[in-house]
Amino acid sequence: MIKMASPGVTWRHLASPGVTWRHLLVVLLITTLTACGGSGGSGSSGSSSSSSSSSSSSSSSGSSSSSGSSSSSSSSSGSGGTGPDTSPDALLSAWVGADDAQLTLTLPPNSPGTDWYASSDPNCDIVNYAVCTDADLRLDVVDSASYTGTALRLGQNGYFQLSRTNEQAEAVLGLQRFSARADHQVVVFNDGSGDKLWLVGGGDDVVFSNSEVWSSVDGFNWKLETDSANFSRRKGHQLVVYNDGDGDKLWLIGGRVPEGYGNDVWSSSDGVTWDLVTSNAGFPVRHEHQVVVYNDGNGDRLWLVGGYGTGTPAGYRNDVWSSSNGKDWKVETSAAQFAREGHQLVVYDDGDGDKLWLVGGYHPGAGKDYNDVWSSSNGKDWTEKTSNAKFPGRRDHQLVVYNDGSGDGDKLWLIGGYNGAESDFMARVWTSSDGVTWTQQTSYPNFSPRSNHQALVYNDGSGDKLWVIGGWGYDSGDGREKNDVWSSSDGVGWTEAGSDFPGRGGHQTVVFNDGTGDKLWMVGGLAIVDGRKVYTDGVWSSVDGMTWDLVTNN
């Protein structure tokens, strides 16, 4: 089955405040099925021919008794052989209101009869469409058909499928979008129906934080799984994917909550129903902590290190905790030699097995940004690999594990950061195979100094590379908020890939396969424009880091 609501398409919402009608438009190309045992929907087992797809966007206009906004998306795919046919086979448009939508399907002249199915259920099987929520059917449409239905409404996506003989197509129309935010978390998680992007929490200066949970299979169509999860609204939390013996789940731990700071732990197997694992974990309340999944020889566990919080004790944390079930937390050490936030924690094998590695961070009481490096195989006994690494002390940097192909295997790579003063943003790239000896890969990488950026490993089709995306820094001709993307295979030579999106920091970036292959995905963040904070809800994706598609944006 080919999904025709193509990722990468921008829907422009131009309505002014108070407008209750919106206009949506999607262009469809019906795809021939190589095997079709009757009309099957998204839940059918029929196979579809391989196809290529392309997408573009443009604004369109419509008329209504109220001044709504118009938006459009187009998608096309072909069945191979002579290449894709980009002529549209169907045009689906809608004026969307609070309780229903005025829907119109238009087909080219002399089209064969087409059955048009509608539902608000994303998993509706058109063989049994009658039992789906808000189901509707128009049989044997030849030229066009219009009706008012409840499958699509403001705040509720509509799912539409077309079927004729051995051809079918489907599309999604909807206005569900998450609000602008920072300090959120984004992960890739399979809820049993395939990998999806999951966004939890975050906030801005108006809505300090929230407890929303959103998911998306393609980065374009976002589903509000819940607007008020059982957990209190928060930001500065941690969200990880972990198997506690009962399958992979989403795990939400701590964060900044309306009451101050939290030490509660929640889990969910579907993103909708969240179970309170514990309302008061053994560790003190905190935010800006780090949580990773690590096997110390006794199986995978959740490991929590550092952060900041109030209570007893108050301040910057130097404790380390672990849990196999999220409920029972063991204090591995209550007084590690480090207390800080703004640090980085990764799992890395230095040739002597996997260990937890902590690098850098900040403690105002000590009046310094740290340049120490610590490792532990058990979370209890920490070895200070160096108290004074060659690199300057820093916070809000990035630390990744990467193999540059030089024959030395995986190394720790430290990129960027901040040292407390306007002029103390950093850009230099450092590596180490043992955490003791650090080598400066380049004194002056092409990208400008920054912090609160994102760094990750991604294969753009020409092999794994390091990627640095966005961040904040002083203005060196490229603005305080960076909108550049850089990649390097060796950490020495850096190539600027693209800069289509507005500059930002505090965003989230992950690698995700939307069904068309792995891509870089960037979600949300905070910019400062003319001295004013501007939060964004934009979702951008890129196959090669050079060309970025605005997948969705309010």
Side-chain angles (χ1 to χ4, degrees):
M1 186 68 184
I2 304 298
K3 187 163 188 176
M4 307 312 295
S6 174
V9 173
T10 303
W11 288 0
R12 295 183 174 86
H13 298 168
L14 305 179
S16 59
V19 173
T20 57
W21 283 85
R22 308 283 180 88
H23 186 246
L24 299 176
L25 179 71
V26 64
V27 181
L28 302 177
L29 184 81
I30 298 175
T31 301
T32 301
L33 300 183
T34 56
C36 184
S39 299
S42 58
S44 69
S45 57
S47 62
S48 64
S49 60
S50 61
S51 62
S52 60
S53 45
S54 61
S55 64
S56 61
S57 65
S58 61
S59 60
S60 64
S61 60
S63 59
S64 175
S65 57
S66 63
S67 58
S69 74
S70 67
S71 55
S72 69
S73 63
S74 64
S75 174
S76 64
S77 64
S79 56
T82 59
D85 176 6
T86 58
S87 57
D89 282 336
L91 181 68
L92 177 61
S93 62
W95 283 99
V96 189
D99 301 316
D100 53 30
Q102 300 170 6
L103 296 148
T104 300
L105 174 66
T106 303
L107 301 171
N110 304 315
S111 294
T114 300
D115 296 338
W116 176 18
Y117 300 81
S119 173
S120 60
D121 181 359
N123 300 310
C124 182
D125 182 345
I126 62 177
V127 175
N128 302 300
Y129 84 95
V131 300
C132 297
T133 307
D134 298 311
D136 212 315
L137 170 63
R138 295 293 182 272
L139 291 172
D140 204 27
V141 178
V142 177
D143 295 317
S144 65
S146 298
Y147 78 100
T148 298
T150 58
L152 172 64
R153 312 171 203 171
L154 291 175
Q156 174 181 288
N157 288 351
Y159 300 85
F160 303 92
Q161 302 177 63
L162 306 179
S163 178
R164 64 190 187 203
T165 318
N166 68 332
E167 297 176 312
Q168 59 190 38
E170 65 176 16
V172 182
L173 288 179
L175 288 165
Q176 286 193 323
R177 296 292 186 271
F178 54 83
S179 60
R181 65 192 64 195
D183 296 324
H184 51 295
Q185 289 277 282
V186 175
V187 298
V188 177
F189 170 64
N190 186 337
D191 64 350
S193 61
D195 281 345
K196 299 177 185 176
L197 289 168
W198 292 80
L199 180 150
V200 178
D204 59 21
D205 288 341
V206 177
V207 180
F208 175 77
S209 58
N210 64 71
S211 56
E212 295 175 348
V213 178
W214 296 80
S215 74
S216 176
V217 296
D218 56 16
F220 175 55
N221 297 294
W222 286 85
K223 179 182 179 182
L224 180 59
E225 300 288 352
T226 174
D227 62 354
S228 55
N230 295 347
F231 54 82
S232 58
R233 52 193 177 92
R234 67 192 62 207
K235 60 183 181 180
H237 50 289
Q238 286 280 279
L239 181 71
V240 296
V241 177
Y242 170 66
N243 186 340
D244 63 349
D246 192 28
D248 279 345
K249 298 176 185 174
L250 291 167
W251 292 78
L252 182 145
I253 302 172
R256 185 77 180 272
V257 296
E259 300 79 21
Y261 302 91
N263 64 342
D264 49 349
V265 179
W266 299 77
S267 72
S268 177
S269 59
D270 61 7
V272 179
T273 302
W274 288 80
D275 296 319
L276 176 59
V277 182
T278 175
S279 62
N280 185 19
F283 55 85
V285 298
R286 69 193 65 203
H287 79 149
E288 303 300 340
H289 46 296
Q290 293 273 288
V291 175
V292 297
V293 177
Y294 169 63
N295 185 341
D296 65 347
N298 298 305
D300 281 345
R301 281 186 275 168
L302 294 165
W303 292 77
L304 179 149
V305 180
Y308 174 83
T310 55
T312 304
Y316 292 83
R317 308 301 191 197
N318 62 339
D319 48 357
V320 178
W321 299 75
S322 73
S323 177
S324 60
N325 60 12
K327 177 180 180 180
D328 303 305
W329 288 83
K330 177 185 178 183
V331 58
E332 302 293 346
T333 176
S334 60
Q337 296 91 323
F338 46 80
R340 63 197 64 188
E341 67 173 6
H343 54 293
Q344 285 280 284
L345 181 71
V346 298
V347 176
Y348 169 65
D349 184 349
D350 62 351
D352 190 30
D354 279 343
K355 299 185 180 78
L356 294 167
W357 290 78
L358 182 147
V359 178
Y362 170 69
H363 190 309
K368 64 181 296 185
D369 290 270
Y370 292 98
N371 64 338
D372 52 355
V373 178
W374 298 82
S375 74
S376 176
S377 60
N378 61 13
K380 176 181 179 180
D381 303 304
W382 287 81
T383 300
E384 188 175 35
K385 293 294 186 177
T386 176
S387 62
N388 187 23
K390 283 187 176 181
F391 57 82
R394 66 194 64 203
R395 70 189 100 152
D396 300 329
H397 47 289
Q398 288 282 282
L399 182 69
V400 297
V401 177
Y402 172 64
N403 186 339
D404 62 358
S406 63
D408 297 330
D410 284 343
K411 298 176 188 173
L412 293 168
W413 291 74
L414 182 147
I415 304 172
Y418 178 63
N419 200 311
E422 174 69 18
S423 60
D424 285 339
F425 290 96
M426 303 172 187
R428 297 179 182 181
V429 179
W430 297 80
T431 66
S432 178
S433 59
D434 60 8
V436 178
T437 303
W438 288 81
T439 301
Q440 184 173 275
Q441 293 297 311
T442 175
S443 300
Y444 299 100
N446 295 10
F447 57 84
S448 60
R450 65 195 62 202
S451 70
N452 296 94
H453 49 297
Q454 291 276 280
L456 70 171
V457 178
Y458 170 66
N459 187 338
D460 63 352
S462 59
D464 281 345
K465 296 177 184 174
L466 287 167
W467 293 78
V468 172
I469 302 175
W472 297 320
Y474 57 81
D475 189 351
S476 55
D478 57 352
R480 289 179 55 88
E481 300 73 44
K482 314 303 179 186
N483 69 335
D484 47 357
V485 179
W486 298 83
S487 68
S488 176
S489 59
D490 60 8
V492 178
W494 289 82
T495 301
E496 185 171 13
S499 56
D500 294 328
F501 53 84
R504 69 195 63 197
H507 48 294
Q508 290 275 285
T509 305
V510 297
V511 176
F512 170 63
N513 186 338
D514 63 351
T516 63
D518 281 346
K519 297 177 184 174
L520 291 167
W521 292 80
M522 183 180 68
V523 181
L526 169 64
I528 300 175
V529 179
D530 297 329
R532 182 172 59 92
K533 291 181 180 179
V534 177
Y535 292 84
T536 175
D537 59 359
V539 177
W540 296 77
S541 72
S542 177
V543 174
D544 57 9
M546 180 69 69
T547 302
W548 287 81
D549 296 318
L550 177 58
V551 182
T552 179
N553 184 46
N554 277 340

